[in-house]
Amino acid sequence: MHLLNLGILAHVDAGKTSLTERLLHSAGVIDEIGSVDEGSTRTDTLALERQRGITIKSAVVSFPVDDVTVNLIDTPGHPDFIAEVERVLGVLDGVVLVVSAVEGVQPQTRVLMRTLQRLRIPTLLFVNKIDRRGARHDELLREISDRLRAAVVPMGTVEDIGTPAACFRPGLDPGAVAVLADHDDELLAAYVENTVSYDLLRTALAVQTRQALVHPVYFGSAITGAGVDALITGIKELLPAADGDPQGPLSGTVFKVERGPAGEKVAYARMFSGTLRTRDRITFGEAGEEGKVAAISVFDHGTDIGTDSVPAGRIGRLWGLGEIRIGDAIGTPRKAYEHFFAPPTLETVVVPGSDADRRALHLALTRLAEQDPLIGLRHDEVRQETAVSLYGEVQKEVVQATLADEFGVHVTFRETTPLCIERPVGTGTAAEFNKKDENPFLATVGLRIDPAPVGSGVRFALEVELGAMPYAFFKAVEDTVRETLGQGLHGWRVTDCVVTMTHSGYSPRQSHAHQGFDKSMSSTGADFRALTPLVLVEALRRAGSQVYEPMHRFRVEAPADALGALLPVLAAVRAVPQATETQGSLCVLEGVVPAAQVHGLERQLPGLTRGEGEWESAFDHYAPVARGTVPERARTDHNPLNRKEYLLNVTRRVG
């Protein structure tokens, strides 16, 4: 039996979850189609999803199509939950991208399609809601081709569009030959000689779809079922089956982690090679953690069933791996875990309610971050505060509701602020020597910090011999350097730099006569971990650092006569228009804007454009903070910027 791991992606409210229900019903997995409005769908299992009518967490459900078993993964459509989509992309064999026949190509549609094309994931398009008033066909096909910059092949025609009787008639569009011939010399020759056969055309379509060169387009309605049978046929015949050798070396990827009824950790993993069995002891993650698989279940006919093994190609739920995290590779890493979308650019402080248990809040936030690694947590032990990084306001509301509903912890939030970064301006050096001056630690550490190209991250280098002292001490310095750079001179994460160790030294292991090891006379890793922040921050102080704020690239489509009202508002929030294009009565404006202003602009846009404006934005780059006071971020470490305060805290702790 063939396997296919299929993702359903869309802009919010395009009908993605409704299509999932219809596919399950058509395959005979469910007897009655669930309703998003009534909260009765199979994949929206969270209470919050049912209440809001949106998908927040990805969900897996299986259904058969003849001899093909499809593992269907329903993903969120709202941009605030793009992290859920990101984790799923790496485990998919194919995708159905849903577009509304009424609203057409929307901002998130474009973001998703660009990513699918970049990753070369085979994609079918399903234009939903053809039974709704205002549904379009020819115009929408042109819009899909132009705005998504995709080679599309219509897979049939629509009758009675925009009415409840709308139906889809399958059949290859005559124009498909011209589209497919662009990538197939044999088909091009047959086209010129007028000898194109249906079999040749269909074969070329399947090959090019699997190579993500073209994208078949189906029209239909998830509510009435129109066009869904044709889509199921396309899923079976045009998308590639899951590959992988069940006898090969063990290799898989974890794309989701949740907690079971008893609080146990359950990992969702796609196996790419080998076969994973219960009671197998495996390695996972960058650190090479080890764990024993206690139980396995796989997805089949709409549910998950217990099994002894999960072979290559399948998705399994794994119990017993207490330290496993999202993105971890199981066994032999297939490839490094990639971030396909930008990280969060906003942060807010969680304010517990008057009756909230802080320990319960800490545990609840840790659990949420465990399920969503891009929700970064930042604990301030001095102020007893926790900050979370987010994509947007909707995600903040969902975090608040989840804490209340699932953990019984009621919280509010402070104002959302942008997450800035720092980059070194120049070169700075500093060193402290063992048993000299006021160095209270048995260690010598010298560091130089240099700027590095944008996007290069942090690199650690050595200008001292690796054998000059035990490797564990070098490792302690490197790990501490990376940790310390989480908070620069202004409290923001420091990046795009090279930190080079220029001096090293230690006190060898010593002991008194007839006695054991005396750490007061001998260097330990704690000495290097304690001294490194002082040296690094001093080097950074001498180099100087510049604070950069996140900037979003935006695209506004609005009536041309609304431009006069729109431009002053954009200027007031430091948005910089870079390109303007008029398309009939519409005007398309593109540019960059500080991330902190995006939410406010989204709220003002309907009023400025009579409800006709369309806003699309995504993180683009970091720009130097050019106006006003440089934003500062409260420190959560022992503050190596203040030597006296730092030593008081650290020596008390170390001692």
Side-chain angles (χ1 to χ4, degrees):
M1 177 176 277
H2 294 298
L3 292 165
L4 169 64
N5 296 297
L6 177 71
I8 305 286
L9 275 62
H11 185 98
V12 67
D13 287 338
K16 185 171 39 57
T17 300
S18 297
L19 177 60
T20 299
E21 291 291 308
R22 176 60 68 173
L23 290 170
L24 295 177
H25 183 266
S26 298
V29 170
I30 56 176
D31 297 326
E32 186 176 344
I33 296 176
S35 166
V36 173
D37 293 336
E38 295 173 6
S40 56
T41 59
R42 177 64 65 95
T43 52
D44 285 346
T45 55
L46 297 178
L48 194 57
E49 292 177 316
R50 297 179 185 276
Q51 291 166 13
R52 288 177 168 258
I54 61 172
T55 302
I56 296 170
K57 295 290 183 184
S58 58
V60 184
V61 66
S62 176
F63 66 90
V65 180
D66 297 332
D67 63 340
V68 178
T69 294
V70 179
N71 285 327
L72 189 151
I73 308 177
D74 185 19
T75 61
H78 198 286
D80 280 13
F81 307 107
I82 198 68
E84 281 290 319
V85 180
E86 174 179 88
R87 292 190 288 274
V88 168
L89 291 179
V91 304
L92 297 178
D93 303 305
V95 162
V96 173
L97 181 61
V98 185
V99 180
S100 168
V102 180
E103 287 83 10
V105 174
Q106 295 172 278
Q108 189 72 350
T109 319
R110 287 161 53 89
V111 171
L112 292 169
M113 191 60 175
R114 282 198 298 265
T115 306
L116 292 170
Q117 289 172 324
R118 180 163 58 88
L119 299 176
R120 303 296 295 272
I121 297 177
T123 303
L124 311 181
L125 282 93
F126 183 75
V127 179
N128 191 25
K129 304 183 183 180
I130 63 170
D131 58 321
R132 298 281 184 89
R133 180 181 298 177
R136 299 166 292 150
H137 182 270
D138 294 346
E139 177 194 345
L140 187 53
L141 278 173
R142 288 192 296 272
E143 184 179 313
I144 289 172
S145 179
D146 294 343
R147 296 192 63 185
L148 297 184
R149 298 177 183 175
V152 296
V153 178
M155 298 300 292
T157 57
V158 180
E159 297 178 4
D160 299 322
I161 191 167
T163 72
C167 62
F168 180 71
R169 302 293 182 198
L172 268 177
D173 186 274
V177 181
V179 176
L180 295 169
D182 280 348
H183 308 286
D184 189 323
D185 292 340
E186 181 185 354
L187 183 60
L188 179 61
Y191 179 46
V192 172
E193 297 168 6
N194 199 26
T195 59
V196 176
S197 67
Y198 176 81
D199 288 344
L200 181 62
L201 198 59
R202 191 74 186 186
T203 300
L205 176 64
V207 169
Q208 293 185 33
T209 300
R210 289 168 186 165
Q211 294 175 345
L213 297 173
V214 300
H215 306 287
V217 182
Y218 298 84
F219 281 72
S221 168
I223 298 301
T224 68
V228 173
D229 287 343
L231 175 65
I232 290 175
T233 300
I235 290 171
K236 175 190 171 185
E237 296 180 356
L238 300 178
L239 294 179
D243 58 1
D245 180 8
Q247 308 304 321
L250 190 68
S251 179
T253 299
V254 175
F255 66 92
K256 179 177 178 177
V257 171
E258 64 183 17
R259 291 278 176 171
E264 75 278 19
K265 194 177 279 191
V266 184
Y268 288 65
R270 157 76 190 268
M271 301 308 299
F272 293 99
S273 175
T275 299
L276 182 61
R277 298 178 174 83
T278 53
R279 294 183 292 281
D280 278 357
R281 182 164 287 279
I282 60 171
T283 59
F284 54 85
E286 292 182 2
E289 298 267 4
E290 287 195 0
K292 184 177 180 180
V293 180
I296 297 173
S297 70
V298 295
F299 297 91
D300 196 20
H301 283 77
T303 186
D304 61 309
I305 55 175
T307 183
D308 292 331
S309 63
V310 53
R314 297 207 77 153
I315 290 173
R317 300 176 77 213
L318 314 178
W319 282 260
L321 307 175
E323 301 302 318
I324 204 158
R325 302 178 1 163
I326 289 170
D328 278 354
I330 293 175
T332 304
R334 179 168 172 260
K335 60 180 179 180
Y337 181 65
E338 297 180 63
H339 288 306
F340 308 127
F341 303 101
T345 55
L346 301 172
E347 184 178 63
T348 183
V349 173
V350 182
V351 180
S354 56
D355 60 341
D357 182 334
R358 290 184 179 272
R359 287 177 298 179
L361 173 60
H362 178 80
L363 176 62
L365 288 171
T366 303
R367 290 275 178 89
L368 287 182
E370 188 179 81
Q371 297 171 19
D372 188 347
L374 291 182
I375 294 183
L377 295 184
R378 187 169 176 270
H379 299 290
D380 185 340
E381 295 181 7
V382 177
R383 296 171 183 80
Q384 291 294 297
E385 292 178 346
T386 300
V388 296
S389 53
L390 302 166
Y391 278 98
E393 297 298 316
V394 172
Q395 188 181 15
K396 183 165 73 172
E397 294 170 13
V398 167
V399 169
Q400 183 180 33
T402 303
L403 289 172
D405 296 345
E406 295 188 19
F407 300 96
V409 180
H410 297 276
V411 302
T412 56
F413 296 95
R414 291 195 193 145
E415 183 181 359
T416 304
T417 57
L419 270 172
C420 300
I421 62 169
E422 294 182 45
R423 292 186 176 121
V425 175
T427 296
T429 60
E432 299 223 12
F433 297 91
N434 189 5
K435 300 178 181 177
K436 287 189 178 180
D437 301 324
E438 298 179 358
N439 177 9
F441 306 108
L442 295 178
T444 293
V445 174
L447 297 171
R448 182 178 71 246
I449 187 166
D450 296 289
V454 172
S456 61
V458 175
R459 186 166 68 87
F460 183 75
L462 294 176
E463 279 186 1
V464 293
E465 291 290 336
L466 192 57
M469 63 181 186
Y471 173 74
F473 295 162
F474 285 110
K475 187 71 168 65
V477 172
E478 179 177 358
D479 290 347
T480 308
V481 162
R482 296 185 184 279
E483 181 182 343
T484 304
L485 289 177
Q487 301 180 73
L489 302 181
H490 301 278
W492 304 103
R493 177 175 61 90
V494 182
T495 188
D496 300 334
C497 61
V498 179
V499 177
T500 305
M501 190 169 185
T502 57
H503 298 81
S504 67
Y506 73 109
S507 295
R509 185 181 180 93
Q510 299 182 50
S511 60
H512 297 288
H514 310 297
Q515 294 182 20
F517 166 62
D518 185 352
K519 68 179 182 181
S520 68
M521 303 168 60
S522 314
S523 298
T524 66
D527 289 301
F528 288 89
R529 286 191 293 272
L531 179 60
T532 297
L534 283 175
V535 177
L536 180 59
V537 166
E538 183 57 32
L540 182 61
R541 199 197 309 262
R542 294 172 182 176
S545 72
Q546 169 77 55
V547 176
Y548 290 72
E549 65 179 330
M551 304 292 289
H552 279 217
R553 176 161 294 281
F554 71 86
R555 182 181 189 274
V556 177
E557 191 174 292
D561 59 3
L563 202 58
L566 193 57
L567 286 174
V569 174
L570 291 172
V573 296
R574 296 187 288 128
V576 181
Q578 295 176 331
T580 308
E581 179 185 352
T582 302
Q583 300 175 353
S585 62
L586 289 177
C587 178
V588 178
L589 188 64
E590 296 185 356
V592 293
V593 61
Q597 307 296 337
V598 169
H599 182 60
L601 283 171
E602 288 176 329
R603 286 186 298 182
Q604 292 185 67
L605 189 67
L608 295 169
T609 61
R610 302 187 300 278
E612 299 178 44
E614 183 181 292
W615 174 273
E616 175 186 344
S617 70
F619 171 78
D620 188 68
H621 67 282
Y622 287 94
V625 175
R627 296 192 204 170
T629 306
V630 175
E632 300 281 337
R633 191 190 198 194
R635 304 191 72 88
T636 60
D637 56 10
H638 292 298
N639 192 16
L641 287 170
N642 184 322
R643 185 182 182 92
K644 183 177 180 180
E645 177 186 337
Y646 178 83
L647 290 176
L648 180 64
N649 287 324
V650 173
T651 52
R652 180 194 300 147
R653 187 172 176 179
V654 172

